[in-house]
Amino acid sequence: MSSIQQYLLKVDEDKAGAEQVAKETAQNVVQSLGEYINDGDSSIRSKTVTYLSHVINQLADTTLSRQHIQVLCQFFCGRIEDGGAIAGLKKLQSLQRFNKEMAIMTLRAILEHFQDLMIRPHSQRLQILELLHDLMLNHRAALESLGSEAIVGITDLVSGEKDPRSLMIIFSFLHVIIVEWDIAAQSETLFDSVFCYFPITFRPPPDDPYRITAQDLKSRLRGCISASSYFAPFAFPQLLEKLDSTSPNVKKDVLQTLAACASSYNVAAVSNYSITLWDSLKYEILNVQEEDLAAEALVVLQAIATRLSKGLTSTSQTTKLARYLKPITSECNKQLQEPQHKQAKPTGQILCSLATSSSTALYLIVKAVVPPLLTLYQDADSIASQKALLEVLVQICSAAVALDQTSGMSAPSTDFGQPLVPFKDRLFELFSQTLMSTASEEVSFRIVALNGLLRLCQISNYLSNSEIGLVVQYLDEIVLTADPNGREDVRNAAIEALVIISKLKPNLIMEITFSAFMAKLPDLPSGDSQDYVITLEGLARLSMERSISDTLIRRLLNKLENVIQTDGPANYAQALLSTIDYVLSRRDLSTDSNLSSYHGKLVVALVNRAALASVGSGPQLLIEPMTLEILGRLIARIIRALDEHKRKSVALNAYTFFLEDRSPFTPVLYANTLPENQRLTMILSTWILASVGPAASALYTTGDETDLDSLLNELTRLALMETVPLIRHYILKQLALLTNRSSAPEGPSEAFKVMQDPVKAAQIGDPTPSMDPTPVVFWIAKALLLRLARTDEVLDHVFGRLSDKVHGAASARGFRALLAPEEILSKENGAIIRLLARQKVFTICVPRISTDFRNAEASAKPNYLVALSGILKDVPAEVMMSQIDTLLPLLLQSLDLSDQEVKAATIESLIVISQESPAAVEGHVQSLTSRLLQSAADPRKNVAKVRYSALRCLQIFPGKVKDTVLLPSRNGVIRGILSALDDPKRHVRKAAVECKAAWSNMDEPDAEE
């Protein structure tokens, strides 16, 4: 049997085998074609040509001579209507010996048969378009030489195509033609061939394997429409016509395309339509209906101004830019005559957007608008009008700042300088008086003035150092003076402004602000005053510059030392430590030259003094629980930056705190009874062990894990014996940390034994009834689950505890700890946390809870629901949705529990489900609404958090769940919400109003329906 016969037999059933036949007979292909190439059956001819194409595709690129390629090209072009030839031509055109004449021959063959080719199935049409794309890529000059013949033929070929894959290819090669070829004679034809697809309304099907989005198509189409200035006479009028569409998506597409055209068309083309565009766009901005559409329209106006400013150095009123801006500034001045009207704000946005386009535009706008603005401000008779006008002035100043800050802007040299200079004194006086002399209750007005002063400071070489210094003094006064109305808005804005100025003029901040703030900071606060908190907050936020932060830390350490020596107020010491921690958190301590000093002064010295304070040999403020927590967090930050050698040294002192053996301090480990103050030092021990990372093994490594086992058992004993919740909490964290970071693949074997029976592991001979082992069990379980060690065994054990009559309720609450994020047990501290640990634990737990809940005794059932709420609290929405069918019935029953924390967590989960998968709740609407209404009512039974969350959840249903499903429950829900309108909590009443409105505004079915 010949090769062609083998191919014909296999091609329909075994394509791989058919291609192998083609490859094996590549050298004898022509002789083997014989009668099949001219067979009367078109199907046979097509398969024969396809066979030849497959053979050619198997050949090396250098196998065929130019003559061979010429003959094959002629053959394929002559047989193009039979099918199969496209693949051969695609291979041939990629060969180096394929020349200009062959490319022209190929294109003409395609164009001559385009009517036949374009009625073929999409897969074959796509092959033709891909061939055309490759010809454009590899033989562009040859195709371009055909001129109008190629343009007209190609536009005819691609007309009417709808498939997104084909359109992506079409837009790609049409863009090349539009940009690189001479299209003057065929500009309208080309424009029509692309604009017929505008606007794109494509919506990809679910699970689209090609991943082509509507935005992909829009971007390529927009690139074609904006590619040539020849399109301007067609594009601008037709786009403006489509701007009247009622669809926001279409309008947005039009505005983005107008912006692209304005940015790429030449200056003359843009200028011809600039006024027309303004007349159409101003209504979108001044009479704003959709904020995002107004923003897009502003982008178009700015794009026009930017284009008309290109290469412009003159401010003459005869330039194209000036002619464009004249009617705009005139309209803006007209609108500002009544600044209290709603058009004043968009007017300022228009001016700011245009002024940002170029320094020339800024000059023309300032000259036309600022003088009448200042006059209007002087004549304004209300604060509302003054504020509106001041906001416009601030926006113009913001444009000047933006021009200064635009990096890499190749603005032409101008000889007119900063256009705001003539108005400097007036603006400075205006903003200053408004900020410092306006009544304190006029918060928003003062903030506008503050922003104005900040903008003046930001304009390059505008204000002198003395003037900026005066602004800094104003801001200092605002920050350091308490607001009589208790409002922090102006103070916060002042701090933000000082932070910005500190980057521009750090010396002024150091000389004026830093000195003023430090002078305000007391050595010791008087009475119960906490005014120092505001000062410290300001200092912390101002310490962005290295020189400022270094000085600040030195001064704060001096203040701290004074407080410690005098055993001053603990809350002042805590505030100082928190400020130091905040400043250090914004620095890379590993490269900090002061790291060694911080290690000595903060880690060694303060930890040492805190330990001594615990036995009465030092200031008691250092042993306050809050002080120890803040100090622990601070020293951990420093220790993490130390080298490995120093971290090991610190680890060895985790319980002895750098004290000598003769010290009166006794380490907590292995001590039988110690006072509470000494036991509080376990807070510091935990932070130290967390921050040293793997270096903690220096404490217990002596060749095997015996010492670690002993340490785990001792920590278990301490946790069980401890009566102070905070100390016990830190001991448990330490126990979990050491378990999790063990070098053993499945964690330390002793840890699992401890989890199974903590009392036995701790060797407590006579446990008291109050000694609850549950926290130990769940913290060790957490440590093992995060590293996915012995996952099934761990979960079996904790689930087994839920049915326990003694420890079941406590175990149910313990599930909250399993997946909760933990500051100590974090990757930053070297904890082993597997990437999908939380997801895996969740997917195991939910089905297990569902099954065990059904089989549990009635008295134990609530334990499973409490456990479920604890797990859901810290699970991402996308993970939760994977178990939605199992979850919903359990969540409904959880709403019947009296536990308020469980209710709150359950409702938060229902909120997520309702937003992410409203279809899932449709079958439970009646049950959900009745239970949520019960949770939203009766403040005696439900806490405010539960009532508020229940109303939020109810509010989500309209608009998410189908109206036809909700309508039967609507009247009952509205009646049920009425009681919440009189709730004692304001935020709950507000939620009730919004919820009632959402249900009341649901669409009723039409009467005719």
Side-chain angles (χ1 to χ4, degrees):
M1 186 182 295
S2 68
S3 298
I4 184 61
Q5 288 174 321
Q6 294 179 48
Y7 182 89
L8 292 175
L9 286 173
K10 294 185 177 183
V11 67
D12 291 324
E13 303 295 332
D14 182 11
K15 291 189 180 297
E19 289 182 12
Q20 184 61 31
V21 171
K23 185 175 181 180
E24 290 172 354
T25 60
Q27 301 302 317
N28 303 311
V29 63
V30 178
Q31 291 85 349
S32 68
L33 294 179
E35 62 192 89
Y36 303 102
I37 201 68
N38 296 309
D39 196 281
D41 187 339
S42 60
S43 173
I44 298 295
R45 292 199 309 273
S46 176
K47 291 176 182 178
T48 305
V49 174
T50 303
Y51 168 66
L52 180 57
S53 297
H54 280 155
V55 171
I56 292 172
N57 272 288
Q58 300 300 326
L59 298 177
D61 289 352
T62 57
T63 301
L64 297 175
S65 67
R66 189 179 303 278
Q67 291 75 14
H68 291 148
I69 296 173
Q70 176 77 25
V71 170
L72 287 168
C73 183
Q74 289 174 340
F75 172 77
F76 282 131
C77 287
R79 296 285 181 167
I80 200 167
E81 72 278 8
D82 286 336
I86 299 298
L89 288 169
K90 198 169 187 299
K91 170 67 176 181
L92 292 178
Q93 66 81 33
S94 68
L95 301 177
Q96 191 173 0
R97 293 168 180 153
F98 191 88
N99 59 24
K100 175 180 178 180
E101 289 73 23
M102 299 175 199
I104 292 173
M105 182 197 312
T106 303
L107 178 62
R108 282 177 169 159
I110 294 172
L111 300 182
E112 286 170 8
H113 296 88
F114 84 91
Q115 290 182 336
D116 169 62
L117 296 177
M118 297 317 287
I119 62 173
R120 291 184 178 182
H122 169 256
S123 59
Q124 294 184 25
R125 296 201 313 275
L126 184 62
Q127 280 188 323
I128 296 165
L129 293 171
E130 286 174 343
L131 171 59
L132 191 55
H133 180 274
D134 291 347
L135 287 171
M136 194 68 69
L137 185 68
N138 300 321
H139 308 283
R140 193 171 303 173
L143 304 192
E144 186 178 0
S145 67
L146 293 177
S148 295
E149 178 189 350
I151 293 173
V152 173
I154 289 172
T155 53
D156 287 341
L157 178 69
V158 302
S159 63
E161 183 58 64
K162 295 180 180 179
D163 185 85
R165 283 183 291 165
S166 297
L167 288 175
M168 290 291 284
I169 296 172
I170 289 169
F171 293 153
S172 179
F173 62 66
L174 284 181
H175 185 269
V176 172
I177 294 173
I178 295 166
V179 171
E180 298 187 14
W181 293 13
D182 179 7
I183 63 167
Q186 303 295 334
S187 57
E188 187 170 5
T189 300
L190 268 171
F191 177 78
D192 290 341
S193 71
V194 294
F195 198 76
C196 65
Y197 295 105
F198 189 91
I200 296 288
T201 56
F202 168 69
R203 180 175 295 176
D207 303 320
D208 178 18
Y210 306 110
R211 305 290 179 92
I212 296 174
T213 65
Q215 190 56 49
D216 294 333
L217 290 168
K218 287 179 181 182
S219 298
R220 289 214 180 172
L221 176 58
R222 189 175 301 135
C224 290
I225 296 172
S226 61
S228 172
S229 299
Y230 287 118
F231 289 171
F234 319 113
F236 285 133
Q238 293 192 50
L239 285 169
L240 290 178
E241 184 180 337
K242 291 187 181 293
L243 194 59
D244 295 331
S245 170
T246 57
S247 167
N249 287 334
V250 172
K251 295 181 78 137
K252 184 176 182 180
D253 204 2
V254 168
L255 291 168
Q256 290 178 344
T257 306
L258 282 171
C261 293
S263 298
S264 60
Y265 290 171
N266 61 40
V267 172
V270 174
S271 178
N272 288 339
Y273 292 91
S274 60
I275 305 300
T276 305
L277 289 166
W278 156 248
D279 288 337
S280 298
L281 295 173
K282 66 181 178 183
Y283 296 105
E284 296 291 335
I285 304 168
L286 295 174
N287 303 294
V288 58
Q289 300 295 324
E290 300 279 348
E291 290 291 341
D292 59 335
L293 294 180
E296 295 289 353
L298 288 170
V299 172
V300 180
L301 293 181
Q302 186 185 52
I304 295 170
T306 302
R307 194 61 175 162
L308 298 181
S309 300
K310 187 172 179 60
L312 191 63
T313 58
S314 170
T315 58
S316 168
Q317 294 298 318
T318 61
T319 62
K320 291 179 173 64
L321 176 64
R323 291 201 299 270
Y324 167 60
L325 292 177
K326 186 175 180 180
I328 299 178
T329 54
S330 176
E331 178 70 26
C332 289
N333 282 331
K334 178 183 174 182
Q335 295 292 342
L336 292 172
Q337 294 295 319
E338 296 178 338
Q340 72 277 12
H341 287 186
K342 65 178 183 179
Q343 279 83 6
K345 181 179 178 181
T347 297
Q349 293 171 339
I350 291 171
L351 293 171
C352 180
S353 180
L354 291 168
T356 309
S357 61
S358 69
S359 54
T360 312
L362 175 65
Y363 179 91
L364 292 169
I365 288 171
V366 168
K367 184 178 179 182
V369 174
V370 172
L373 256 179
L374 293 173
T375 303
L376 286 169
Y377 184 88
Q378 188 172 352
D379 297 338
D381 56 0
S382 69
I383 286 182
S385 296
Q386 289 179 330
K387 180 190 169 191
L389 294 168
L390 210 63
E391 284 177 333
V392 177
L393 285 170
V394 172
Q395 286 175 308
I396 293 173
C397 294
S398 297
V401 174
L403 279 175
D404 274 346
Q405 294 177 344
T406 303
S407 57
M409 182 176 177
S410 55
S413 59
T414 54
D415 56 3
F416 46 84
Q418 173 54 254
L420 286 170
V421 167
F423 309 101
K424 184 182 82 168
D425 294 340
R426 182 74 182 101
L427 290 172
F428 189 83
E429 178 187 6
L430 198 66
F431 292 141
S432 299
Q433 286 182 350
T434 304
L435 176 62
M436 303 308 293
S437 303
T438 303
S440 59
E441 58 266 20
E442 297 293 343
V443 174
S444 59
F445 191 25
R446 295 182 69 204
I447 288 176
V448 172
L450 188 153
N451 287 332
L453 282 175
L454 175 61
R455 298 296 176 266
L456 298 185
C457 293
Q458 288 178 285
I459 299 173
S460 297
N461 303 317
Y462 189 63
L463 296 182
S464 65
N465 274 355
S466 59
E467 289 168 326
I468 297 176
L470 190 56
V471 173
V472 170
Q473 290 179 44
Y474 292 155
L475 298 175
D476 291 350
E477 184 179 338
I478 291 169
V479 174
L480 297 175
T481 305
D483 191 305
N485 301 304
R487 296 285 296 274
E488 297 296 320
D489 307 61
V490 180
R491 174 180 284 160
N492 289 334
I495 291 176
E496 292 295 336
L498 285 169
V499 170
I500 293 171
I501 295 173
S502 72
K503 298 174 184 176
L504 304 172
K505 301 286 183 180
N507 291 339
L508 285 177
I509 296 297
M510 181 66 76
E511 293 168 8
I512 302 172
T513 301
F514 194 81
S515 301
F517 278 41
M518 289 306 299
K520 187 80 172 178
L521 201 61
D523 290 331
L524 289 175
S526 56
D528 295 330
S529 171
Q530 291 197 358
D531 290 345
Y532 57 80
V533 173
I534 296 165
T535 308
L536 285 171
E537 180 189 351
L539 285 167
R541 292 172 66 179
L542 284 171
S543 62
M544 298 290 290
E545 295 297 319
R546 178 63 180 268
S547 57
I548 297 176
S549 63
D550 282 346
T551 305
L552 174 61
I553 290 174
R554 285 198 302 271
R555 299 281 185 89
L556 293 180
L557 285 173
N558 291 337
K559 295 280 186 185
L560 180 64
E561 181 61 28
N562 184 63
V563 177
I564 292 173
Q565 286 184 355
T566 56
D567 206 1
N571 53 5
Y572 188 38
Q574 292 158 13
L576 291 169
L577 286 168
S578 294
T579 306
I580 294 171
D581 183 43
Y582 177 80
V583 174
L584 292 181
S585 71
R586 297 191 295 179
R587 296 166 66 160
D588 181 5
L589 288 177
S590 61
T591 59
D592 198 311
S593 58
N594 296 318
L595 180 60
S596 179
S597 173
Y598 299 148
H599 171 241
K601 292 181 180 180
L602 292 170
V603 177
V604 176
L606 284 183
V607 165
N608 188 296
R609 293 168 81 173
L612 291 174
S614 72
V615 292
S617 299
Q620 292 304 290
L621 68 88
L622 285 176
I623 205 61
E624 288 283 335
M626 179 69 74
T627 306
L628 290 172
E629 287 196 274
I630 296 170
L631 178 58
R633 192 171 287 107
L634 171 59
I635 63 172
R637 191 179 308 284
I638 297 168
I639 293 168
R640 279 194 294 266
L642 297 173
D643 60 47
E644 187 177 358
H645 175 73
K646 285 187 177 179
R647 286 202 306 273
K648 283 185 177 179
S649 172
V650 172
L652 291 170
N653 286 277
Y655 298 107
T656 56
F657 305 116
F658 309 98
L659 291 168
E660 300 293 337
D661 292 339
R662 295 186 300 275
S663 164
F665 176 78
T666 303
V668 177
L669 286 185
Y670 306 107
N672 288 326
T673 56
L674 289 175
E676 179 181 328
N677 277 0
Q678 281 185 260
R679 302 201 309 277
L680 279 167
T681 59
M682 287 299 281
I683 296 174
L684 291 178
S685 296
T686 303
W687 280 108
I688 290 172
L689 285 173
S691 57
V692 295
S697 61
L699 268 173
Y700 50 77
T701 300
T702 56
D704 54 38
E705 287 206 51
T706 304
D707 289 346
L708 176 58
D709 294 345
S710 173
L711 182 56
L712 293 176
N713 289 330
E714 173 60 10
L715 289 172
T716 302
R717 182 187 72 83
L718 291 173
L720 292 172
M721 300 289 291
E722 186 54 62
T723 57
V724 179
L726 179 66
I727 301 174
R728 181 170 60 245
H729 192 58
Y730 271 91
I731 294 171
L732 290 168
K733 288 182 179 184
Q734 198 175 130
L735 180 61
L737 187 72
L738 293 173
T739 299
N740 176 270
R741 291 195 314 208
S742 166
S743 58
E746 294 294 322
S749 56
E750 187 64 22
F752 191 75
K753 296 177 184 176
V754 171
M755 186 189 71
Q756 290 178 309
D757 192 345
V759 175
K760 180 180 179 181
Q763 298 180 357
I764 298 175
D766 188 18
T768 62
S770 61
M771 198 176 287
D772 184 8
T774 302
V776 173
V777 172
F778 277 87
W779 276 92
I780 292 180
K782 178 186 182 75
L784 294 172
L785 290 174
L786 285 178
R787 62 182 290 169
L788 295 178
R790 306 179 74 163
T791 304
D792 293 334
E793 296 173 82
V794 171
L795 289 176
D796 281 343
H797 181 71
V798 296
F799 272 110
R801 295 179 63 88
L802 289 175
S803 57
D804 188 284
K805 293 183 179 180
V806 178
H807 299 298
S811 297
R813 291 190 295 273
F815 273 78
R816 297 174 190 170
L818 287 184
L819 301 183
E822 168 55 49
E823 187 178 9
I824 293 287
L825 205 62
S826 65
K827 285 191 174 183
E828 189 180 33
N829 289 327
I832 302 171
I833 302 176
R834 301 301 180 200
L835 185 61
L836 299 176
R838 286 183 171 86
Q839 288 88 327
K840 181 173 181 178
V841 171
F842 174 80
T843 54
I844 295 173
C845 284
V846 171
R848 176 72 180 267
I849 289 175
S850 178
T851 303
D852 290 1
F853 174 80
R854 289 194 297 270
N855 300 326
E857 296 180 5
S859 60
K861 284 182 181 289
N863 295 343
Y864 292 91
L865 299 177
V866 172
L868 176 65
S869 72
I871 290 174
L872 291 178
K873 184 167 59 71
D874 300 295
V875 173
E878 59 272 16
V879 177
M880 189 189 304
M881 301 311 294
S882 65
Q883 299 287 332
I884 189 169
D885 293 334
T886 307
L887 280 174
L888 266 175
L890 295 171
L891 292 174
L892 284 169
Q893 295 183 69
S894 297
L895 288 175
D896 295 331
L897 298 177
S898 58
D899 189 313
Q900 296 297 292
E901 284 193 39
V902 173
K903 265 192 177 182
T906 300
I907 295 172
E908 289 299 322
S909 300
L910 286 169
I911 288 173
V912 172
I913 292 171
S914 301
Q915 289 174 326
E916 299 292 330
S917 182
V921 303
E922 288 180 358
H924 305 276
V925 164
Q926 192 169 356
S927 300
L928 273 172
T929 52
S930 63
R931 285 175 166 87
L932 289 170
L933 285 171
Q934 290 173 10
S935 299
D938 199 349
R940 292 170 299 178
K941 292 183 180 178
N942 299 304
V943 297
K945 181 180 179 182
V946 168
R947 303 197 303 274
Y948 175 73
S949 296
L951 289 166
R952 276 182 55 226
C953 189
L954 280 168
Q955 185 186 344
I956 288 170
F957 289 174
K960 289 288 186 181
V961 181
K962 293 176 183 176
D963 287 356
T964 52
V965 176
L966 296 181
L967 281 170
S969 305
R970 186 175 76 159
N971 292 336
V973 171
I974 293 174
R975 284 195 302 271
I977 294 170
L978 294 178
S979 63
L981 296 173
D982 297 321
D983 195 278
K985 295 293 184 181
R986 181 180 177 185
H987 71 289
V988 178
R989 294 197 300 271
K990 183 173 183 291
V993 171
E994 293 172 350
C995 183
K996 181 175 179 291
W999 281 81
S1000 300
N1001 294 335
M1002 282 173 55
D1003 292 333
E1004 288 278 13
D1006 294 338
E1008 296 179 359
E1009 294 178 356

Short mmCIF file of all heavy atoms in Angstrom, two decimals, residues 877-878 881 884 910-919 956 960:
data_model
loop_
_atom_site.label_atom_id
_atom_site.label_comp_id
_atom_site.label_asym_id
_atom_site.label_seq_id
_atom_site.Cartn_x
_atom_site.Cartn_y
_atom_site.Cartn_z
N ALA A 877 -12.89 33.81 52.24
CA ALA A 877 -14.20 33.58 51.62
C ALA A 877 -14.14 32.50 50.54
O ALA A 877 -15.01 31.62 50.47
CB ALA A 877 -14.72 34.89 51.01
N GLU A 878 -13.08 32.53 49.71
CA GLU A 878 -13.02 31.57 48.61
C GLU A 878 -12.88 30.14 49.12
O GLU A 878 -13.35 29.19 48.48
CB GLU A 878 -11.88 31.91 47.65
CG GLU A 878 -10.49 31.94 48.26
CD GLU A 878 -10.11 33.30 48.82
OE1 GLU A 878 -11.03 34.12 49.02
OE2 GLU A 878 -8.92 33.54 49.06
N MET A 881 -16.37 28.98 50.47
CA MET A 881 -17.36 28.68 49.43
C MET A 881 -17.26 27.24 48.93
O MET A 881 -18.22 26.69 48.41
CB MET A 881 -17.22 29.64 48.26
CG MET A 881 -17.38 31.12 48.60
SD MET A 881 -18.84 31.47 49.58
CE MET A 881 -20.10 31.08 48.41
N ILE A 884 -19.87 25.11 50.85
CA ILE A 884 -21.09 25.86 51.14
C ILE A 884 -22.30 24.96 51.37
O ILE A 884 -23.12 25.23 52.26
CB ILE A 884 -21.36 26.87 49.99
CG1 ILE A 884 -22.50 27.80 50.38
CG2 ILE A 884 -21.65 26.18 48.68
CD1 ILE A 884 -22.65 28.97 49.45
N LEU A 910 -22.44 34.13 57.02
CA LEU A 910 -23.62 34.22 56.14
C LEU A 910 -23.54 35.45 55.23
O LEU A 910 -23.99 35.41 54.09
CB LEU A 910 -24.89 34.29 57.00
CG LEU A 910 -25.30 32.97 57.66
CD1 LEU A 910 -26.41 33.21 58.67
CD2 LEU A 910 -25.75 31.96 56.61
N ILE A 911 -22.97 36.52 55.73
CA ILE A 911 -22.78 37.73 54.91
C ILE A 911 -21.88 37.41 53.73
O ILE A 911 -22.18 37.77 52.58
CB ILE A 911 -22.20 38.88 55.77
CG1 ILE A 911 -23.28 39.41 56.73
CG2 ILE A 911 -21.69 40.02 54.87
CD1 ILE A 911 -22.75 40.43 57.73
N VAL A 912 -20.79 36.71 53.99
CA VAL A 912 -19.86 36.34 52.92
C VAL A 912 -20.55 35.44 51.90
O VAL A 912 -20.45 35.64 50.69
CB VAL A 912 -18.61 35.64 53.51
CG1 VAL A 912 -17.75 35.07 52.39
CG2 VAL A 912 -17.81 36.60 54.36
N ILE A 913 -21.28 34.44 52.39
CA ILE A 913 -21.96 33.51 51.48
C ILE A 913 -23.00 34.23 50.65
O ILE A 913 -23.12 33.99 49.44
CB ILE A 913 -22.59 32.36 52.30
CG1 ILE A 913 -21.49 31.48 52.91
CG2 ILE A 913 -23.52 31.52 51.43
CD1 ILE A 913 -22.01 30.45 53.90
N SER A 914 -23.75 35.13 51.27
CA SER A 914 -24.80 35.86 50.54
C SER A 914 -24.21 36.74 49.45
O SER A 914 -24.83 36.93 48.39
CB SER A 914 -25.61 36.72 51.52
OG SER A 914 -26.19 35.92 52.51
N GLN A 915 -23.03 37.28 49.69
CA GLN A 915 -22.40 38.13 48.69
C GLN A 915 -21.75 37.32 47.58
O GLN A 915 -21.82 37.69 46.40
CB GLN A 915 -21.35 39.03 49.36
CG GLN A 915 -21.96 40.12 50.23
CD GLN A 915 -20.90 40.89 50.99
OE1 GLN A 915 -19.87 40.34 51.40
NE2 GLN A 915 -21.13 42.17 51.20
N GLU A 916 -21.10 36.22 47.95
CA GLU A 916 -20.34 35.44 46.99
C GLU A 916 -21.19 34.44 46.22
O GLU A 916 -20.92 34.15 45.06
CB GLU A 916 -19.19 34.70 47.70
CG GLU A 916 -18.19 35.60 48.40
CD GLU A 916 -17.38 36.42 47.42
OE1 GLU A 916 -17.15 35.95 46.29
OE2 GLU A 916 -16.97 37.54 47.79
N SER A 917 -22.20 33.88 46.87
CA SER A 917 -23.01 32.85 46.22
C SER A 917 -24.48 32.99 46.63
O SER A 917 -25.01 32.15 47.38
CB SER A 917 -22.48 31.46 46.59
OG SER A 917 -23.21 30.45 45.95
N PRO A 918 -25.15 34.05 46.17
CA PRO A 918 -26.54 34.27 46.59
C PRO A 918 -27.47 33.13 46.20
O PRO A 918 -28.46 32.87 46.88
CB PRO A 918 -26.91 35.58 45.88
CG PRO A 918 -25.90 35.77 44.81
CD PRO A 918 -24.66 35.12 45.29
N ALA A 919 -27.15 32.43 45.11
CA ALA A 919 -28.01 31.31 44.69
C ALA A 919 -28.07 30.22 45.76
O ALA A 919 -29.08 29.52 45.89
CB ALA A 919 -27.51 30.73 43.37
N ILE A 956 -28.32 42.72 52.54
CA ILE A 956 -27.62 42.21 51.35
C ILE A 956 -28.57 41.46 50.42
O ILE A 956 -28.41 41.50 49.20
CB ILE A 956 -26.45 41.30 51.77
CG1 ILE A 956 -25.32 42.14 52.38
CG2 ILE A 956 -25.91 40.51 50.59
CD1 ILE A 956 -24.25 41.32 53.03
N LYS A 960 -29.14 40.85 45.58
CA LYS A 960 -28.29 39.67 45.40
C LYS A 960 -29.15 38.43 45.11
O LYS A 960 -28.93 37.73 44.12
CB LYS A 960 -27.43 39.43 46.66
CG LYS A 960 -26.33 40.45 46.87
CD LYS A 960 -25.19 40.27 45.88
CE LYS A 960 -24.03 41.18 46.17
NZ LYS A 960 -22.94 41.02 45.19
#
